[in-house]
Amino acid sequence: MDYIEYETDDRVAVITLNRPDQRNAQNAGLLKELDEAFDRAVADKEVRVIVLQANGKHFSAGHDLSPEAQNGPPWDHMFDDVKQNGLLAMYQWELGHFFGYSRKWRDLPKPTIAAVQGACIAAGLMLCWPCDLIIAADDARFADPVIHMGIGGVEYQGHAWEFGARKAKELLFTGGFIDATEAHRLGMVNRIVPRDQLGEATLALAHEIAKMHPHALMMAKRSVNHALDAQGQHNALQTGFETHSLGHANAWIVSGYPVMVGLDEMTKANKGNANGGAKS
Ligand code: ZN
């Protein structure tokens, strides 16, 4: 694996994002390896709890925005395709790789714990939100700033469920950060620990949970997730993905590019069929 580390510690699988120099930005390879690691932990009968953590100062800066990341259909080559097929290719990619992965990981049949330090931005939220528990280092901070790209939120729009409606709107409207303390107060984070104790504290909690019967753990998780779905979470998340996709469509209409970052630059890049440093 190039982007992920995987190890087991007794009954706990520990999956570690390992692109610290890129602030654990998510390219296609990282997402694929991460999904395979989750599958491996689920398939291992000895594993009862899964920890997701990250090497380096930051949990994840979101999707890797560099052209070589291949985070979907290469935008530079999409212009002709969009004219013929609209946003079909982009929609399908994001449905499978962004929204789809997060949905799948949310319903893994074993408890998952995310350990978050530093910045957790945009698609970074799509890694920790699907986990059952979130332990935050005291330096953790969270934001979904895609409003700056002319889009209403990331592909997996858990905001209202994680923050409550009013805070969700504030954070979406401003693209601003909340720190670990506020995330804890709002119920998004289970516990805050000093940065240098994050790994140890998360593993201790994982081992405590791993003493429980695996069937009981799975049923407890299913029960709570079903309660959320009974309140409409499943359908709301699906609708959130559709509105995210509508944001891409609107950006194409307005700027000729999937997002509205540096509108003038994007328009120029489109005309010149150069990349222009596009963001997603
Ligand atoms: Zn998108």
Side-chain angles (χ1 to χ4, degrees):
M1 291 184 290
D2 297 321
Y3 309 110
I4 296 288
E5 294 175 346
Y6 182 95
E7 59 186 347
T8 55
D9 183 46
D10 196 9
R11 291 171 169 170
V12 176
V14 179
I15 301 170
T16 306
L17 310 178
N18 192 31
R19 297 190 82 201
D21 293 341
Q22 292 79 31
R23 299 175 182 174
N24 294 307
Q26 305 162 36
N27 59 12
L30 182 144
L31 289 169
K32 181 171 181 288
E33 290 183 6
L34 180 55
D35 187 55
E36 290 169 352
F38 276 128
D39 284 346
R40 180 176 170 184
V42 168
D44 186 341
K45 290 187 170 56
E46 296 300 314
V47 169
R48 292 188 180 179
V49 179
I50 305 167
V51 167
L52 174 62
Q53 63 181 17
N55 284 334
K57 288 176 65 177
H58 303 288
F59 181 73
S60 178
H63 288 144
D64 188 334
L65 310 175
S66 60
E68 59 272 17
Q70 299 183 353
N71 237 343
W75 289 353
D76 287 353
H77 306 292
M78 279 182 63
F79 299 110
D80 290 339
D81 185 66
V82 166
K83 286 175 185 165
Q84 291 181 18
N85 302 310
L87 291 184
L88 182 62
M90 184 175 199
Y91 180 93
Q92 287 180 320
W93 173 271
E94 296 205 348
L95 180 65
H97 294 82
F98 301 157
F99 184 69
Y101 276 153
S102 291
R103 289 299 300 262
K104 174 186 170 184
W105 301 335
R106 182 261 200 184
D107 287 326
L108 293 178
K110 298 180 180 181
T112 51
I113 309 175
V116 180
Q117 79 278 15
C120 178
I121 300 173
L125 300 168
M126 293 163 55
L127 300 187
C128 69
W129 281 350
C131 291
D132 298 309
L133 308 178
I134 300 176
I135 310 301
D138 50 14
D139 69 346
R141 60 190 197 277
F142 306 85
D144 179 0
V146 303
I147 193 83
H148 293 293
M149 303 175 187
I151 295 178
V154 290
E155 287 84 358
Y156 185 85
Q157 297 205 9
H159 313 70
W161 302 90
E162 301 288 350
F163 303 128
R166 293 203 186 280
K167 197 67 185 180
K169 289 175 186 171
E170 178 189 330
L171 292 171
L172 285 168
F173 292 169
T174 65
F177 277 97
I178 60 170
D179 61 17
T181 302
E182 188 166 17
H184 182 257
R185 183 179 63 78
L186 293 167
M188 198 201 99
V189 158
N190 292 84
R191 300 178 185 181
I192 304 174
V193 298
R195 171 69 187 89
D196 61 358
Q197 296 174 23
L198 179 63
E200 181 185 346
T202 304
L203 205 53
L205 178 60
H207 282 302
E208 178 185 339
I209 294 170
K211 293 175 185 170
M212 307 305 173
H213 194 283
H215 183 268
L217 290 171
M218 182 172 74
M219 290 304 126
K221 174 168 180 167
R222 289 176 65 82
S223 176
V224 175
N225 282 0
H226 286 321
L228 290 168
D229 288 340
Q231 297 172 61
Q233 190 184 57
H234 180 94
N235 290 341
L237 288 172
Q238 185 66 48
T239 301
F241 176 70
E242 311 301 349
T243 59
H244 172 90
S245 300
L246 189 59
H248 281 309
N250 185 63
W252 271 103
I253 292 169
V254 173
S255 67
Y257 223 72
V259 295
M260 291 191 279
V261 173
L263 186 54
D264 294 340
E265 186 183 340
M266 287 301 111
T267 304
K268 193 166 61 179
N270 183 0
K271 285 175 181 168
N273 198 23
N275 182 277
K279 308 284 191 276
S280 171

